[in-house]
Amino acid sequence: MIGNKTKLLIVDLLLMFLLIAADQITKFLAVVNLRNQEPFVLWEGVFELQYLENSGAAFGMLQGKKSFFVLTSIIFLIVIVYVLVRVPNQKKYTKLHITLAFIASGAIGNLIDRIRYDYVIDFLYFSLINFPIFNVADIYVTLSSIVLAALLLFVYTESDLEFLFIRSEKS
């Protein structure tokens, strides 16, 4: 019989699978429809689809540092898995599970690109503010990191997070 904790982790994995699939499908569509094409303007002067192969991070930082990004992603994913396994099976932690699943999905989506191509496929561009071109995985990581910060600052107390630091007793 599968325990509730195991069921919750399976739900986390299913959510992550769906999110990663959505990211990879949008990137595939970007390659097929946008590569070597002029930007596709959705809202003149505001938003467009523009293909970019990004071997760095946001704002063009750390170009060509694939091993750094792969290692950093793996470390973050290990931490996320540790937290998800340690989180008590209580309803108040549902937001934390969902948030961490989104962050992990974004990290995995971009990690797949870095391993397969040595770059990340970006294609969403807010021309109105000249924001760096980004992708769906970036949205997952950015918005979920903001949500995680809000959860840690305003929702969960220090005692709610003690599970991260207390050793579980052996049965």
Side-chain angles (χ1 to χ4, degrees):
M1 179 155 237
I2 297 176
N4 287 338
K5 179 71 171 188
T6 304
K7 287 179 188 175
L8 187 57
L9 292 172
I10 290 170
V11 170
D12 289 338
L13 288 173
L14 289 173
L15 175 60
M16 289 169 43
F17 175 79
L18 291 172
L19 292 169
I20 293 165
D23 171 66
Q24 292 297 300
I25 290 167
T26 59
K27 289 174 179 173
F28 171 77
L29 292 171
V31 170
V32 169
N33 296 298
L34 299 172
R35 180 190 257 169
N36 300 321
Q37 302 294 320
E38 290 296 315
F40 183 79
V41 177
L42 292 170
W43 187 356
E44 183 68 41
V46 177
F47 185 71
E48 58 192 51
L49 303 176
Q50 182 178 34
Y51 183 82
L52 175 70
E53 295 174 356
N54 183 0
S55 64
F59 305 103
M61 298 183 300
L62 302 170
Q63 290 292 316
K65 303 291 184 190
K66 175 185 174 180
S67 55
F68 170 78
F69 290 116
V70 169
L71 181 62
T72 303
S73 296
I74 291 170
I75 291 169
F76 273 107
L77 290 169
I78 289 169
V79 170
I80 289 170
V81 168
Y82 171 80
V83 173
L84 287 173
V85 168
R86 300 279 303 189
V87 173
N89 188 22
Q90 297 173 8
K91 188 174 180 166
K92 71 178 175 180
Y93 294 108
T94 301
K95 293 177 188 98
L96 183 60
H97 271 273
I98 294 168
T99 302
L100 292 176
F102 268 84
I103 292 172
S105 299
I108 293 168
N110 283 339
L111 182 61
I112 290 168
D113 285 7
R114 288 191 195 288
I115 291 171
R116 284 179 69 192
Y117 310 117
D118 292 334
Y119 56 83
V120 173
I121 297 167
D122 289 333
F123 57 92
L124 303 168
Y125 177 54
F126 280 104
S127 56
L128 178 68
I129 57 174
N130 195 25
F131 195 79
I133 301 172
F134 58 100
N135 60 47
V136 173
D138 296 336
I139 295 169
Y140 297 162
V141 171
T142 303
L143 295 181
S144 297
S145 294
I146 293 167
V147 170
L148 180 61
L151 289 173
L152 295 175
L153 290 171
F154 304 114
V155 176
Y156 298 120
T157 64
E158 189 174 326
S159 64
D160 288 333
L161 301 174
E162 285 179 350
F163 67 86
L164 291 172
F165 307 105
I166 297 173
R167 292 188 96 131
S168 45
E169 296 178 22
K170 292 188 178 182
S171 313

